[in-house]
Amino acid sequence: MNNIELKKLWKEYGDNVVLENINLTVKAGEFITLVGASGCGKTTFLKMLLGTEKPSRGQLLLDGDPIRDEPDADRGIVFQRYSVFPHLNVIENVMLGVELGESRLLGRCFGSKRRKVRAQAQEMLELVGLGHVAKQYPTSLSGGMQQRLAIAQALIKQPKVLLLDEPFGALDPGIRSDMHALILDIWQKTGITIFMITHDLTEGFYLGTRLLVFDKHRIDPDNPNRYGASITFDIPVADTRKSTLDDISNTMKQKQETL
Amino acid sequence: MKRLINQQPSKAGKWLLGALPFILILLVYVVASNERLAVNPNDKLMPSFEAFGHAIHMMAFEPSKRTGDYLLWADTLASLQRLGIGVGISALISLIVGILIGIIPLMRAGFAPVVTVISLVPPLAILPILFIIFGLGEVAKITLIVLGITPFLIRDVQLRVMALPEELIIKAQTLGASTWQLIVRVILPQILPKLIDAVRLSLGSAWLFLIAAEAISATEGLGYRIFLVRRYLAMDVILPYVVWITLLAFLTDYLLRRLSLYAFPWQQNEGGAK
């Protein structure tokens, strides 16, 4: 199933063309990594997926419908920093998403409902390896643990797409490889579509099933903003999921049968 | 020898250095007071500590001959009540208005200019208007405090709300929060400790407006008493009252700080209330 489609999508600020004529189809469950020089529009691209920026022209579809032009629970996000709420402890951070859905008025659950939500959140914390710090406040956690928490917090809403904006950019190399293992594990377990911006090409190749490079096709030296960036490379990488392999063998089988 | 900027006082040294200015001020007072009293034993400008003790005893521990009240405590109660109600109302208004104009652009467009203009009106200049409208009772005095500090508090809350990281606001929306839920679950809890900080800063002005209002029209209150006994040059009452007001102001500030740390433990690693 096609999860996300971009048709002739442009983004301009006045005369400044940021993205030009982007066409892209992303199937549900792909892990897309986005790389490119700074200022090449990959963040703008992510913001459009998130809903904080609107395309100037063209279409951006999520499951066949135009994507909402404000953030909602369909799209989870993890930023490089400030992704978790400092006034809530670890487990409350994860519970928040569920509580907001359960109680429109107070955004807070009580009694047996609260215990149920807490159990659900605890399960999610175990998944990201934070079960032992449920009662601590985020400010007492390391950067890597805060990002784990941010991921758990986003996942509990079961979004259709998970957007990661350089989530591991500020982490030490050792921690970073732990986080790689974690995100791959989560992606395989949940089958969620992931878009991840990274500055690290190796990371992009290692994590993604598909690597998109944003760059300008044309450059006008006298007017650098005249032309926008588009996707210059769309590289399928390291897609070793069973479903993909099945897809391939199925198509091959079909071909064989028709022959 | 280390550079001056790298030298830290020891714990005892810190206390000593902190106490030194107080001791010096006291010393200067005692010397000057003694000199004046030696020339004129009836001097009223710089009473001796004995005279202070007598005045304090009379104001605090003996019922007034006219009303039967213990004046210091009656004055304190009246003043603190006005201050508490005034500051409380201001905090509540500024919390609601500040959050709304901080987070909702339509509200900001509508109300921010009028708040800015109101905050530029000198409150004391409209005190006569308040007395005309509300009479000489409690309402006028409390209204002066409210008018005096609310615009400052509103603008502070608004700026604090706008300074919250954009990421948190977006994150809450991706968790499905409506505007209302965003306010009650994310903004309000993060702004409350900052409101307490702002209230601490505004207490000085609140006392100013309180004493100004009491000086003009009241029958009891710390400010009223000071301006009443001024007619008799009663420095032996005025100075202890000033010290007492200072002490009350210090205590309120201290209690608010403790409250902030106690009620919002999450800010301890954040460099919050200090």
Side-chain angles (χ1 to χ4, degrees):
Chain A
M1 191 181 76
N2 290 340
N3 191 214
I4 287 189
E5 262 180 288
L6 285 77
K7 292 181 185 163
K8 295 184 180 161
L9 183 125
W10 291 68
K11 180 67 188 176
E12 296 148 329
Y13 299 99
D15 283 342
N16 182 0
V17 185
V18 181
L19 293 170
E20 58 175 53
N21 201 23
I22 296 192
N23 292 290
L24 182 72
T25 306
V26 174
K27 290 199 190 75
E30 287 194 75
F31 193 144
I32 314 276
T33 47
L34 312 168
V35 297
S38 38
C40 68
K42 55 189 191 303
T43 302
T44 309
F45 176 75
L46 201 78
K47 279 183 174 168
M48 285 193 284
L49 288 176
L50 179 60
T52 53
E53 292 278 357
K54 250 166 86 170
S56 313
R57 276 181 275 163
Q59 279 186 301
L60 175 50
L61 307 176
L62 173 63
D63 289 345
D65 299 316
I67 211 159
R68 260 181 86 183
D69 61 356
E70 64 173 351
D72 63 16
D74 281 345
R75 292 151 282 168
I77 178 90
V78 174
F79 295 104
Q80 189 169 5
R81 26 191 322 230
Y82 301 125
S83 276
V84 296
F85 300 104
H87 64 289
L88 298 174
N89 70 25
V90 167
I91 196 157
E92 286 168 344
N93 258 291
V94 182
M95 288 164 70
L96 181 65
V98 186
E99 286 187 291
L100 292 172
E102 295 280 327
S103 152
R104 294 311 294 169
L105 187 61
L106 294 174
R108 199 184 281 272
C109 295
F110 301 96
S112 65
K113 207 184 230 176
R114 186 175 177 82
R115 280 192 293 279
K116 226 175 84 193
V117 177
R118 182 175 284 273
Q120 192 187 344
Q122 183 67 36
E123 211 171 288
M124 188 57 80
L125 284 180
E126 305 289 349
L127 179 70
V128 299
L130 289 179
H132 59 296
V133 290
K135 293 256 163 66
Q136 292 188 25
Y137 284 105
T139 40
S140 69
L141 302 182
S142 68
M145 287 166 104
Q146 288 193 21
Q147 291 307 74
R148 281 169 190 265
L149 177 56
I151 292 170
Q153 187 183 39
L155 282 178
I156 203 152
K157 287 301 272 189
Q158 298 175 323
K160 294 177 179 163
V161 187
L162 182 61
L163 308 173
L164 308 173
D165 189 357
E166 289 184 50
F168 315 136
L171 304 179
D172 293 337
I175 309 279
R176 202 186 282 207
S177 62
D178 288 350
M179 297 298 290
H180 290 166
L182 174 76
I183 198 74
L184 285 176
D185 182 43
I186 284 170
W187 172 66
Q188 269 154 8
K189 278 182 185 154
T190 58
I192 192 173
T193 314
I194 298 182
F195 283 82
M196 173 170 145
I197 291 185
T198 176
H199 271 302
D200 182 348
L201 206 54
T202 328
E203 187 175 79
F205 271 102
Y206 173 66
L207 287 179
T209 55
R210 195 167 163 191
L211 178 95
L212 302 182
V213 181
F214 281 74
D215 205 352
K216 295 188 180 189
H217 277 299
R218 304 168 285 182
I219 289 180
D220 179 349
D222 296 326
N223 186 0
N225 294 333
R226 174 67 184 80
Y227 300 113
S230 47
I231 297 169
T232 50
F233 291 93
D234 180 349
I235 311 167
V237 285
D239 187 354
T240 53
R241 280 170 306 158
K242 190 163 178 314
S243 57
T244 316
L245 300 181
D246 287 348
D247 267 358
I248 296 172
S249 56
N250 278 341
T251 3
M252 291 200 328
K253 224 180 277 171
Q254 277 170 9
K255 280 269 166 59
Q256 235 161 20
E257 279 161 15
T258 36
L259 288 173
Chain B
M1 187 90 166
K2 278 194 202 168
R3 287 181 193 80
L4 209 50
I5 53 164
N6 293 326
Q7 291 181 35
Q8 302 287 348
S10 67
K11 208 161 186 183
K14 213 165 144 186
W15 275 99
L16 197 70
L17 286 173
L20 203 60
F22 292 102
I23 296 170
L24 278 178
I25 292 171
L26 270 182
L27 217 62
V28 168
Y29 182 87
V30 170
V31 171
S33 162
N34 278 345
E35 295 236 329
R36 287 184 71 100
L37 289 171
V39 179
N40 172 12
N42 292 325
D43 180 61
K44 293 200 112 185
L45 276 189
M46 297 184 103
S48 66
F49 277 87
E50 201 186 344
F52 282 141
H54 182 70
I56 292 170
H57 184 77
M58 199 179 72
M59 299 304 290
F61 304 112
E62 275 177 31
S64 150
K65 288 197 181 77
R66 200 163 62 81
T67 61
D69 287 336
Y70 293 86
L71 288 180
L72 177 70
W73 308 116
D75 288 340
T76 305
L77 190 68
S79 287
L80 284 184
Q81 207 170 359
R82 287 166 192 147
L83 193 77
I85 296 174
V87 172
I89 292 174
S90 304
L92 195 66
I93 295 176
S94 58
L95 190 64
I96 296 168
V97 179
I99 286 182
L100 288 182
I101 62 182
I103 196 68
I104 302 178
L106 292 174
M107 290 278 186
R108 182 151 64 239
F111 290 103
V114 75
V115 171
T116 309
V117 169
I118 291 178
S119 73
L120 294 173
V121 176
L124 284 177
I126 52 171
L127 183 55
I129 304 177
L130 297 182
F131 282 138
I132 292 168
I133 296 176
F134 298 113
L136 298 175
E138 295 299 299
V139 180
K141 292 189 267 290
I142 290 171
T143 310
L144 179 69
I145 298 178
V146 173
L147 280 179
I149 64 173
T150 306
F152 160 78
L153 287 176
I154 289 179
R155 294 175 86 187
D156 192 81
V157 170
Q158 179 201 339
L159 290 178
R160 302 290 193 144
V161 170
M162 290 170 73
L164 288 176
E166 178 80 31
E167 285 91 338
L168 290 186
I169 311 290
I170 293 174
K171 180 85 188 201
Q173 295 179 63
T174 66
L175 297 179
S178 63
T179 301
W180 168 250
Q181 289 178 321
L182 176 73
I183 289 174
V184 292
R185 288 295 324 257
V186 177
I187 306 216
L188 190 65
Q190 295 209 36
I191 285 304
L192 277 176
K194 291 172 175 153
L195 175 72
I196 292 183
D197 282 348
V199 164
R200 285 171 60 199
L201 289 177
S202 72
L203 272 176
S205 322
W207 275 103
L208 169 75
F209 295 124
L210 173 71
I211 290 172
E214 285 181 344
I216 295 173
S217 137
T219 51
E220 55 184 353
L222 297 165
Y224 160 75
R225 194 68 54 198
I226 290 179
F227 277 79
L228 181 75
V229 300
R230 173 192 61 114
R231 299 176 197 165
Y232 319 111
L233 278 181
M235 290 294 271
D236 55 343
V237 174
I238 294 177
L239 283 176
Y241 261 65
V242 171
V243 172
W244 176 237
I245 291 173
T246 312
L247 192 69
L248 287 176
F250 176 81
L251 276 178
T252 351
D253 184 72
Y254 175 79
L255 289 177
L256 282 175
R257 196 180 64 198
R258 300 298 307 184
L259 172 73
S260 175
L261 283 175
Y262 171 78
F264 311 105
W266 52 269
Q267 44 172 349
Q268 263 161 12
N269 294 324
E270 263 223 327
K274 286 271 158 59

